[in-house]
Structures are given as structure tokens and as C-alpha cells.
Amino acid sequence: MPLGKKQQSKEYKARPNDVIYTPKLVAMKMIEMSNITPNMKVLDPSKGGGVFYDNLPECKKDWCEIVEGKDFFQYNEKVDLIIGNPPYSIWDKWIEHTIKITDKFCYIMGVFNFTDMRVRNIINAGFGLTALHLLKIDWWFSPSYLVIFERGKQSIISVEEKRVVCAKCNKR
């Protein structure tokens, strides 16, 4: 649903493909993967229909939703976990804000959003990829990954820091 002018964030202009409601089965898998405990403060950064927020186990929970006047980019409290399905058109900006306010996040990333550069930037910010689950939602554009990144944790994938060049000519 398009946002009205007063509901637009300075940081975000809605695009039709950004409003993708997550199936409950997927949200429940992400919640399970996240190992949420009652003492954790958990943020659903783009609540939408509430499939994450409404199904969180006992914890200190909060939410943002731009169309309800709670802009994620204005949220600056520290949280233990951020879990959700962010708008794909602003992934880099979204991740940048995410890593400012949490040490652990669980997001859905389409295979075209789970890029070398994006993963490299998250890892270089001190996070390790600690869980990854591949799934295909039939009506979505591409397969997706459910990912958990945690600050200071060993990553289950490694990233080559140097560009690999031709051994014969030392060029790309």
C-alpha cells in the first residue's frame, strides 16, 4: 500500500515491491532460529500485519511501522535482537541502521540481496553469519535466505578479502 505524503519518512520513500507480507510459517521459523528468551528486548522494525510481533514468545518487544508513524530510522534504543522482513529497496541503509542498535539480527534476504558486498560489509562491521536457512516461497520473485548475524561471533562462512586474479597475468 502506498504511503501518504505525511507518512513518508525523510529516509524512505515507499516502493510497491517493498510491501511484502511474510507468511506465518516463515516468521515462525525465524522466531525459532533466533532463540528468544524472556529477558531479551526484541524489535520488529517493519511490523506490517504483525506476523513477527504478534507471534514473538515472552520477551520485551517493540515495533516500528512507517505507515503507523513509527519510523525505524528514528528508533535509536539498543535492542538484543531485530527480526523481520525489511524493505528491499533500501537494504544497505537498513542494515547500516540495524548494526547501530543491535548485536544480533534475523532477516529474510532474497538471493539477489544476499550479495558479496553486502555480506562483506556486515562481516567487516564485526558480525558473523551464525545461521542460514534457504527457502522458496512460491509467489516471491526468487529463493530467499533466513539469516542471523551476530556481533563478535564466528561466522559460518568466510570471506576472501583479496581479489583473486589470474595467476598467469596477475589481472582480472
Side-chain angles (χ1 to χ4, degrees):
M1 89 181 68
L3 299 174
K5 283 198 186 290
K6 18 181 228 189
Q7 294 168 320
Q8 293 281 351
S9 163
K10 292 178 194 168
E11 303 287 333
Y12 172 60
K13 302 298 181 215
R15 296 197 173 122
N17 289 340
D18 283 345
V19 182
I20 306 293
Y21 289 97
T22 306
K24 184 176 180 180
L25 181 69
V26 174
M28 296 305 289
K29 177 64 178 175
M30 293 171 68
I31 290 167
E32 174 194 323
M33 289 171 61
S34 297
N35 298 316
I36 299 167
T37 61
N39 63 326
M40 291 175 72
K41 183 168 184 181
V42 180
L43 176 66
D44 178 347
S46 51
K47 188 178 81 164
V51 73
F52 292 99
Y53 185 82
D54 294 343
N55 290 292
L56 290 171
E58 181 186 339
C59 64
K60 300 169 208 147
K61 61 185 183 175
D62 203 355
W63 58 271
C64 294
E65 177 53 56
I66 192 70
V67 298
E68 294 184 41
K70 288 182 76 174
D71 186 344
F72 174 64
F73 293 108
Q74 302 303 313
Y75 193 97
N76 291 306
E77 294 176 37
K78 188 79 168 162
V79 296
D80 298 306
L81 170 71
I82 298 177
I83 185 170
N85 185 2
Y88 287 178
S89 70
I90 54 172
W91 257 113
D92 294 326
K93 194 172 231 166
W94 197 273
I95 290 171
E96 183 181 310
H97 188 65
T98 296
I99 64 177
K100 286 179 185 174
I101 63 172
T102 195
D103 292 333
K104 180 178 180 180
F105 60 95
C106 181
Y107 283 154
I108 299 170
M109 295 183 85
V111 295
F112 297 112
N113 290 71
F114 192 74
T115 64
D116 168 51
M117 185 61 73
R118 194 164 283 135
V119 172
R120 186 180 305 274
N121 287 342
I122 295 169
I123 289 174
N124 287 340
F127 287 77
L129 176 65
T130 59
L132 181 133
H133 181 83
L134 177 64
L135 74 150
K136 175 71 174 123
I137 300 169
D138 286 341
W139 63 93
W140 286 12
F141 178 68
S142 67
S144 298
Y145 298 108
L146 307 180
V147 297
I148 295 180
F149 283 94
E150 296 181 74
R151 189 183 312 271
K153 297 283 179 107
Q154 181 68 37
S155 189
I156 60 174
I157 63 169
S158 59
V159 177
E160 180 60 46
E161 291 301 320
K162 296 178 184 172
R163 184 178 295 270
V164 179
V165 296
C166 175
K168 189 173 183 178
C169 68
N170 203 33
K171 294 183 182 176
R172 294 171 77 186

